[in-house]
Amino acid sequence: MIHFTYRRAGRFRNVAIFLLFAATLAAAAKIHYVREHLSLLTQARTAQTAGDLLAAEELYNRALAVPWAFGEHRGEIDAALLALQPVTQAKRVTAEIAAEVEAASAAGDVPALLQAHERYRAAQAAAAKAGEDAKQRFAEAAQAAGVEAKLTEAYAAARKRAAQQLEAAIAAKGEPGADGGKAAAVAAADLLRLPAAVYGSEAAKRKEANALLQRYDNARIDAAAKTQELEAVLQLGESIRSWYAAVPWEAPWLASKLDKYAVAELTALEKKDLPAFLAAGKAVQAHAALLGSGGGKAGAYAEAAVKRQFARAEQLAGARKYDEALELYRTLGSYRARRRRSPRWSCGGSKATRRRCWRRPA
């Protein structure tokens, strides 16, 4: 009986010790959380007083999240967060935009830079629409984040980078290089994407961009002309023209450059290789719109040259050089299949018979 009583007393003692230990732990935890809560609250008040409102907002929210936080401080924290919300929202947005501008500039990504700038303009417009106070808050937050200064710096860097890449492509005489000309193509696009304000005015942008792009296009066309036929060079010209049309951007130098090259090519071929000349003339006809009004000087030259060849064929026939005349007409027929027919013979037989039976092309 006495042994049983001692056992029960031992159990009660163990339970009491456990409860005391648990209560001690709970009290210690509460003391820790209370201290953390008060510390965060003090830090939040200090940050708010110092004007670091984003940090103050974060600290107030952390103070609210602490277990066993003091109920008497809840009202103070709620009021502080309510007052901070418009300002911290403006600061948060402008800080994000500033970070986006910096990241786009570091990556050399002009489309991303333009997207960040567009977000800034949209947020600025929304703040202005919300009222004078909101507009003022946003302006102050943007200035603190340095958004406009970062945009100016990023645009200047993009302008310089694009110009350097195009100058490098020009120095390489239009050869595409290891990347297949991708860097230069991106630079050309970036140059035209940049806002006119970056250059000072639309006229200044057009003057600077056109000076670089004309030299770049000329270098590409000259490089192609060294190794390719007229048709391939004109195809390149069509590709360049389509690119400018998609921007859109006027490139008045393109037609004159290609027209001048085509005239030189036709002149050289007419003297040494009539079939090659006629093939080049057909290429000029196919790309007449690329070369200017009426096919440009190249189109007029090709037509005049073909007329001279037809006149020569008639002279050969008049001089009774029928075989030469027939061969020349057949060659010319590939150029003007729709407008002229090759000579026909009304009778066969000997050469003397063919002389009597010669008929001029209908």
Side-chain angles (χ1 to χ4, degrees):
M1 186 71 177
I2 294 173
H3 178 69
F4 178 74
T5 303
Y6 277 126
R7 287 180 62 188
R8 290 184 61 188
R11 289 197 191 101
F12 287 135
R13 181 193 61 195
N14 291 340
V15 171
I17 291 171
F18 174 77
L19 292 174
L20 178 62
F21 180 72
T24 302
L25 285 178
K30 185 170 184 179
I31 291 170
H32 168 75
Y33 286 129
V34 167
R35 284 179 177 174
E36 183 181 3
H37 174 78
L38 292 175
S39 175
L40 289 169
L41 190 59
T42 301
Q43 292 176 57
R45 291 166 179 162
T46 302
Q48 186 174 6
T49 303
D52 191 356
L53 304 186
L54 288 175
E57 183 186 45
E58 181 186 356
L59 289 164
Y60 277 128
N61 281 318
R62 286 173 59 189
L64 273 181
V66 173
W68 297 329
F70 288 164
E72 62 266 25
H73 294 146
R74 182 61 186 262
E76 176 191 349
I77 294 173
D78 286 345
L81 287 173
L82 189 63
L84 286 171
Q85 188 176 15
V87 180
T88 54
Q89 178 62 17
K91 284 183 172 290
R92 186 176 294 107
V93 169
T94 52
E96 288 175 358
I97 293 172
E100 289 173 6
V101 170
E102 288 181 332
S105 182
D109 190 343
V110 171
L113 176 60
L114 293 170
Q115 188 175 6
H117 194 179
E118 181 57 33
R119 182 185 176 189
Y120 174 63
R121 281 195 291 257
Q124 196 175 39
K129 189 176 180 181
E132 194 60 36
D133 288 345
K135 180 181 177 180
Q136 182 64 26
R137 277 195 302 271
F138 186 84
E140 291 173 355
Q143 185 176 7
V147 175
E148 294 193 4
K150 286 180 170 62
L151 279 169
T152 300
E153 183 180 349
Y155 277 133
R159 175 183 177 184
K160 181 179 180 180
R161 182 171 53 251
Q164 287 175 338
Q165 288 172 336
L166 285 176
E167 287 289 1
I170 293 165
K173 301 186 182 300
E175 296 296 337
D179 68 346
K182 183 179 178 181
V186 170
D190 288 346
L191 200 67
L192 301 185
R193 287 188 184 110
L194 296 176
V198 175
Y199 299 85
S201 68
E202 183 63 38
K205 173 182 177 178
R206 191 165 292 278
K207 181 179 179 181
E208 180 175 325
N210 282 357
L212 279 168
L213 292 172
Q214 181 173 359
R215 292 168 58 216
Y216 172 57
D217 290 340
N218 287 349
R220 287 195 290 169
I221 292 168
D222 289 342
K226 290 178 183 177
T227 59
Q228 299 181 41
E229 301 294 335
L230 176 60
E231 169 64 27
V233 176
L234 294 180
Q235 285 286 1
L236 172 62
E238 293 284 6
S239 176
I240 295 172
R241 184 177 69 157
S242 296
W243 185 84
Y244 281 119
V247 173
W249 191 263
E250 293 181 8
W253 59 86
L254 188 60
S256 60
K257 172 68 176 178
L258 290 167
D259 190 33
K260 183 178 179 181
Y261 162 70
V263 169
E265 192 73 3
L266 289 170
T267 302
L269 289 173
E270 185 188 11
K271 296 175 182 178
K272 62 182 182 182
D273 190 342
L274 182 57
F277 166 81
L278 294 175
K282 290 176 73 174
V284 167
Q285 283 184 328
H287 301 280
L290 177 65
L291 302 172
S293 178
K297 292 179 180 178
Y301 182 90
E303 284 296 313
V306 169
K307 287 179 181 179
R308 287 195 297 270
Q309 293 297 330
F310 270 109
R312 180 169 168 262
E314 292 182 0
Q315 289 172 358
L316 289 170
R320 298 178 179 273
K321 296 180 179 180
Y322 302 115
D323 288 339
E324 292 181 47
L326 178 60
E327 183 61 30
L328 182 54
Y329 271 120
R330 284 174 175 166
T331 302
L332 293 171
S334 65
Y335 184 80
R336 284 188 174 174
R338 291 180 300 174
R339 297 175 58 184
R340 301 246 185 195
R341 294 197 305 271
S342 296
R344 292 182 292 114
W345 302 101
S346 59
C347 54
S350 66
K351 187 174 181 180
T353 305
R354 291 201 302 271
R355 286 174 184 158
R356 292 194 302 270
C357 298
W358 168 264
R359 292 183 56 191
R360 294 175 60 188

